[in-house]
Amino acid sequence: MGNWAANEGLSTFVILVWLGINAFLFVHFYMAFLTERFYYTRVILGHALSWARAPAACLNFNCMLVLLPVCRNLLSFLRGSVQRCSRTAARQLDRNLTFHKLVAYMIAFHTAIHILAHLFNFERFMGAQLDSNSSLEYVLSQIGNEDGKAFLNPIRTSDTNPTYVMFTTIAGLTGVVITLALILMITSSMEVIRRSYFEVFWYTHHLFVIFFIGLVLHGVGRIVRGQTEEDLKVHDPKVCEELYETWGKNGSFCPVPNFAGSPPMTWKWVVGPMFLYVCERLVRFYRSQQKVVITKVVMHPSKTLELQMKMKGFQMEVGQYVFLQCSSISQLEWHPFTLTSAPEEDHFSVHIRIVGDWTQGLYEACGGDKPGTQEAWKLPKMGVDGPFGTASEDVFRYEVVMLVGAGIGVTPFASILKSVWYKQVQENSNVFTKKIYFYWLCPETEAFEWFADLLQSLEGQMMEKGMTDFLSYNIYLTRWKETEAAHFRVHHEAENDPITGLKQKTLYGKPNWDNEFNAIGAKHPGSKVGVFLCGPTALAKALEKQCNTYSKSDADFIFNKENF
């Protein structure tokens, strides 16, 4: 329970508060439309009125929140401030995209309720207008025919239909637009599309601009109406309801009721986040216009492109990431990449695996498909936005650290391991970290090629300084079995591993995490062990479960995962 509280306690508290606010807003606004002011509105619509307005309030609240987790500069600033006070609180900011998705799902959920309720409302408004029995619903629908202002029923004539009204009123038209935008944004955000067709995700996600414009305009038509406060003083609906046939006639003490719509409120909820997001975009635009010089391009055999760059005023911490844009490929697309250089170096670098159209375009623009050396003036113009903070910034705040990278997910740890090496070379005595356990899981041998040189360099430097115990690393070929690697056994007597060239032998298959956690916990009783992962969801779930349930030797394992 203690480990679970350390890893998930604050996150669970935040989620419960968020759900509690949603529940409160739903109930509060549901009850608010059961008051006397909307008595006659409910005569036509029934409880569908409350079922439409309660989720609308929750939509306002969640639309206020959905932009904040993607204001990356704001989060980086907050992370730097919070990190000085609380490591646990800072870790919550690293789950910004998870919260962004949860809020988006909540928006979709309340949108569905809101739409279904209003479909019933439109049908009932239409039915009241078509009623030929002079019922109360029909009489209410005829109010406002003369002045056109005090009406209750937004469908003003029987010569129409709900579909026509939906596309000719502000509320109906904007509702259709923002619903279509929301459907496109959510469906294109599915992982299979985001991973395979990033451009589709990128462009459709920018429909959020249309979504928010439509959201602000949605309530301008004031389609949901009720009695005015002044009118309630002279026309009590509970008293006058039965006398509707004599309203406004001589001798009647019940005048014709006067109705008005509430002023639109959505803009009050979203204007703050929209302003912050505009500021965010302005900061990004300014930084993206700074001159970037590509100082070196390395084409690694595993079809991984390394770019070394310089930019005036660029300062970074370990494990951070940047967004890159190449105008010769696309003027609009920005893609996130983890920095693989160390803060101590005079440049910053990224390693990019060629897996899609954009990365293939960058590969070709940098001359990866051409033999020989590319001339500097032919290199593409790059835009850089960042750096932005991640969980890996906290590595040196733990005395014992586990780094787990899968495939290209090893990139943030390249920065960390390089920084460790520089700190040791500079004999920096302020390094709090005393032990690093590094795990790298790769499916095939090709993935080792670009990173093996760094590990060999670190291994040599650590041996020179007599610090072989500081860094323990384990490399796994996950698609290989011991039987398949039998022909390598003859080399096991050699000093270095035949695959990586390291003294540490390559392991085959997948790690037994129970054994690994048991061994580390036994070696470091009473310690807080920072577990950092950059890898797939399945591996994240396995490690998170280990961190939450492990309780031997009083070692606390704190789980951190890269999200960008």
Side-chain angles (χ1 to χ4, degrees):
M1 181 59 71
N3 277 356
W4 180 88
N7 281 285
E8 305 296 335
L10 185 56
S11 295
T12 303
F13 174 75
V14 171
I15 296 300
L16 289 176
V17 169
W18 170 65
L19 291 174
I21 294 174
N22 274 279
F24 169 78
L25 288 173
F26 193 97
V27 173
H28 175 77
F29 279 87
Y30 189 98
M31 301 302 295
F33 285 86
L34 297 180
T35 58
E36 282 192 351
R37 184 189 170 202
F38 297 97
Y39 184 89
Y40 286 131
T41 317
R42 294 196 306 277
V43 167
I44 299 177
L45 303 180
H47 281 268
L49 171 65
S50 291
W51 279 103
R53 300 313 302 159
C58 295
L59 279 171
N60 288 338
F61 171 64
N62 287 286
C63 288
M64 176 186 73
L65 295 178
V66 75
L67 285 178
L68 297 178
V70 291
C71 291
R72 299 177 188 272
N73 287 293
L74 174 64
L75 292 180
S76 292
F77 171 76
L78 291 175
R79 198 181 195 290
S81 302
V82 173
Q83 192 179 34
R84 299 185 186 95
C85 306
S86 171
R87 183 168 53 196
T88 304
R91 286 175 55 244
Q92 307 314 306
L93 297 177
D94 299 323
R95 304 186 180 188
N96 59 317
L97 293 186
T98 301
F99 187 65
H100 175 73
K101 293 174 186 177
L102 287 175
V103 173
Y105 293 145
M106 186 66 80
I107 289 173
F109 173 70
H110 286 297
T111 297
I113 299 175
H114 184 71
I115 291 172
L116 288 173
H118 269 317
L119 289 176
F120 282 106
N121 291 338
F122 270 112
E123 288 293 339
R124 290 177 178 177
F125 275 136
M126 193 72 230
Q129 190 64 255
L130 294 174
D131 195 340
S132 58
N133 296 323
S134 296
S135 63
L136 176 57
E137 291 88 338
Y138 178 78
V139 171
L140 289 170
S141 298
Q142 303 309 304
I143 295 174
N145 283 346
E146 296 179 1
D147 58 19
K149 296 179 181 179
F151 67 88
L152 175 62
N153 192 334
I155 299 179
R156 305 306 306 139
T157 174
S158 59
D159 298 327
T160 186
N161 59 71
T163 304
Y164 177 80
V165 174
M166 187 181 300
F167 286 95
T168 55
T169 60
I170 294 176
L173 185 59
T174 56
V176 170
V177 169
I178 61 181
T179 301
L180 290 176
L182 183 64
I183 291 173
L184 288 172
M185 284 190 291
I186 290 179
T187 53
S188 66
S189 298
M190 296 171 60
E191 187 168 358
V192 63
I193 295 177
R194 195 173 69 252
R195 298 293 183 189
S196 304
Y197 306 98
F198 185 84
E199 292 81 1
V200 174
F201 159 75
W202 178 264
Y203 289 114
T204 54
H205 226 61
H206 281 75
L207 290 172
F208 81 91
V209 176
I210 295 174
F211 177 86
F212 273 91
I213 292 173
L215 189 70
V216 171
L217 296 177
H218 188 58
V220 171
R222 305 189 182 191
I223 201 168
V224 176
R225 306 170 71 83
Q227 275 184 274
T228 63
E229 295 295 335
E230 293 76 12
D231 190 62
L232 283 171
K233 298 175 182 177
V234 296
H235 184 112
D236 186 346
K238 292 182 179 179
V239 175
C240 298
E241 177 186 9
E242 301 295 333
L243 307 174
Y244 68 91
E245 294 179 344
T246 62
W247 287 349
K249 295 181 179 179
N250 291 334
S252 173
F253 59 86
C254 291
V256 176
N258 186 32
F259 301 99
S262 302
M265 301 293 292
T266 300
W267 69 271
K268 295 181 179 180
W269 289 84
V270 301
V271 65
M274 289 174 69
F275 174 76
L276 288 175
Y277 190 80
V278 169
C279 293
E280 171 84 9
R281 300 305 302 187
L282 290 174
V283 171
R284 290 192 194 181
F285 177 77
Y286 171 76
R287 290 200 304 196
S288 68
Q289 300 304 305
Q290 305 302 302
K291 184 179 180 181
V292 178
V293 178
I294 299 178
T295 58
K296 190 175 182 180
V297 178
V298 182
M299 304 296 178
H300 293 282
S302 53
K303 208 166 186 184
T304 298
L305 174 67
E306 179 184 355
L307 293 181
Q308 295 183 11
M309 296 167 281
K310 289 185 178 181
M311 186 172 73
K312 185 178 180 181
F314 188 91
Q315 295 181 335
M316 62 165 287
E317 297 294 336
V318 294
Q320 292 186 326
Y321 67 97
V322 294
F323 277 85
L324 297 183
Q325 181 247 11
C326 182
S327 56
S328 62
I329 302 174
S330 173
Q331 292 284 350
L332 299 177
E333 289 184 43
W334 290 81
H335 294 256
F337 296 98
T338 303
L339 292 165
T340 54
S341 53
E344 293 83 359
E345 294 179 299
D346 62 353
H347 66 273
F348 63 96
S349 65
V350 294
H351 284 70
I352 302 170
R353 187 176 59 182
I354 312 305
V355 292
D357 294 340
W358 190 90
T359 52
Q360 181 64 35
L362 182 62
Y363 181 77
E364 295 172 0
C366 292
D369 59 339
K370 301 180 182 67
T373 304
Q374 180 83 324
E375 296 180 18
W377 63 272
K378 291 184 178 179
L379 292 174
K381 181 182 177 182
M382 301 296 296
V384 175
D385 181 27
F388 300 107
T390 67
S392 295
E393 288 184 48
D394 293 339
V395 162
F396 297 127
R397 301 186 72 188
Y398 292 93
E399 189 172 5
V400 182
V401 175
M402 287 179 66
L403 306 179
V404 183
I408 197 66
V410 77
T411 49
F413 307 136
S415 173
I416 293 167
L417 294 177
K418 283 182 181 180
S419 185
V420 166
W421 177 70
Y422 279 110
K423 285 176 169 38
Q424 298 302 331
V425 168
Q426 297 167 3
E427 297 183 353
N428 190 336
S429 60
N430 294 325
V431 179
F432 180 67
T433 303
K434 304 303 180 187
K435 180 68 177 180
I436 294 178
Y437 295 91
F438 175 58
Y439 298 83
W440 189 14
L441 286 59
C442 281
E444 299 293 346
T445 56
E446 290 81 3
F448 289 115
E449 293 171 343
W450 74 269
F451 199 64
D453 289 343
L454 172 61
L455 289 178
Q456 289 177 21
S457 175
L458 284 172
E459 188 177 62
Q461 292 293 332
M462 295 297 175
M463 288 184 66
E464 285 182 13
K465 289 186 170 288
M467 299 182 59
T468 53
D469 292 335
F470 178 78
L471 174 64
S472 296
Y473 51 91
N474 298 278
I475 301 175
Y476 289 83
L477 273 172
T478 55
R479 290 183 184 171
W480 287 38
K481 305 297 183 184
E482 284 289 348
T483 54
E484 297 171 349
H487 62 284
F488 280 112
R489 292 186 184 279
V490 68
H491 296 284
H492 279 204
E493 298 301 323
E495 184 178 358
N496 295 338
D497 184 79
I499 297 177
T500 63
L502 298 168
K503 294 190 179 298
Q504 173 67 43
K505 305 301 183 182
T506 299
L507 304 171
Y508 304 98
K510 296 180 180 180
N512 185 321
W513 293 115
D514 286 328
N515 293 342
E516 298 298 330
F517 275 77
N518 282 333
I520 294 173
K523 289 180 181 178
H524 306 281
S527 299
K528 282 188 178 294
V529 182
V531 180
F532 294 84
L533 167 70
C534 188
T537 303
L539 181 57
K541 290 181 179 178
L543 291 179
E544 189 171 17
K545 182 179 179 181
Q546 289 285 347
C547 291
N548 289 342
T549 59
Y550 190 85
S551 59
K552 293 182 181 179
S553 304
D554 296 324
D556 294 330
F557 289 86
I558 310 301
F559 182 71
N560 302 268
K561 184 181 183 301
E562 294 293 314
N563 288 295
F564 58 84

